[in-house]
Amino acid sequence: MEKVFPQQVPGLPGVRPAKGWVPPLGNVLTLLGAYDNESGFWVGLPLQALTEALVLAEARHAVDRLDERNAEVEVEVPDGSAEGTTKTKEIEVPAGEVWFISRFHLEVDNATVTGNIRVSRFPKTNEVDKRYLGTNQDGISDETYDLAGPGELGAELRLVGDDKITVVATAIADPTVGDGTVTLTLHGRKAKRLVE
């Protein structure tokens, strides 16, 4: 590839180029830095600033909503299950997408079953994804968790391709009476992933 050299500068790594120096221009845009008009020097652009800007851009440009149409998962504990029986079902973020989840809506329809949520992005506990709720949500309950609210995460939950959210249903009676269903609905938005 041919390069145009506006000015030839012998330089060593870590040595600031001469005032007014312009970097080599190639056929491909290469992020090097920004020219500071006040000092007259090129200043290296911190990649953290660019990454942060891309994350903000992801959050601003939604491509779809997350709601009961495309982000709902339910798991059932069958009638007569022994106490401690656990059933799980997961929803996975497709590759190339990023999800910004603002609310979890968790519904448990049976008094002999509890529900919880596991998030693969959280640290693991005993080789298993960490639970979102400290204690399981009791049977016959319908709760909405505003993730940006006080006492929750304080911000939306950002999940990228291959991250998983698992809904967990656990029998708390021996045996369970009737089928028990735990339903999780995610609310938020999908976006195109810009940051790896």
Side-chain angles (χ1 to χ4, degrees):
M1 176 187 307
E2 290 185 16
K3 292 193 176 202
V4 178
F5 292 88
Q7 298 170 359
Q8 297 286 341
V9 173
L12 299 171
V15 175
R16 176 182 265 185
K19 191 172 188 175
W21 177 78
V22 178
L25 304 174
N27 295 336
V28 178
L29 179 63
T30 304
L31 187 63
L32 295 173
Y35 185 76
D36 183 354
N37 286 331
E38 290 182 19
S39 71
F41 291 105
W42 283 88
V43 181
L45 184 64
L47 293 179
Q48 296 84 352
L50 179 62
T51 301
E52 184 66 26
L54 289 173
V55 169
L56 291 172
E58 282 179 344
R60 295 262 182 218
H61 301 299
V63 295
D64 196 4
R65 288 178 58 173
L66 291 172
D67 56 24
E68 61 279 347
R69 296 170 297 164
N70 57 7
E72 184 173 272
V73 61
E74 66 179 36
V75 62
E76 184 177 284
V77 176
D79 180 27
S81 295
E83 183 176 0
T85 299
T86 300
K87 301 287 183 182
T88 62
K89 194 168 184 185
E90 61 189 29
I91 186 168
E92 184 174 338
V93 179
E97 287 186 8
V98 59
W99 289 6
F100 292 90
I101 301 169
S102 57
R103 288 179 296 154
F104 287 145
H105 180 190
L106 189 63
E107 183 178 355
V108 183
D109 73 353
N110 187 310
T112 61
V113 174
T114 63
N116 210 323
I117 304 159
R118 294 188 184 276
V119 181
S120 67
R121 175 71 57 181
F122 289 175
K124 300 217 182 286
T125 305
N126 298 328
E127 309 272 329
V128 179
D129 293 339
K130 187 175 181 180
R131 297 181 307 182
Y132 178 73
L133 302 173
T135 57
N136 289 346
Q137 182 174 308
D138 290 335
I140 307 187
S141 58
D142 187 350
E143 298 288 336
T144 298
Y145 301 93
D146 179 7
L147 303 184
E152 301 297 333
L153 294 178
E156 292 179 315
L157 177 61
R158 180 181 180 268
L159 298 176
V160 297
D162 300 327
D163 282 345
K164 298 175 182 68
I165 292 186
T166 305
V167 63
V168 181
T170 306
I172 56 171
D174 195 8
T176 54
V177 179
D179 294 339
T181 303
V182 177
T183 306
L184 172 65
T185 306
L186 307 176
H187 294 273
R189 62 194 181 284
K190 294 181 182 183
K192 182 179 177 184
R193 188 170 180 187
L194 300 176
V195 178
E196 291 298 322

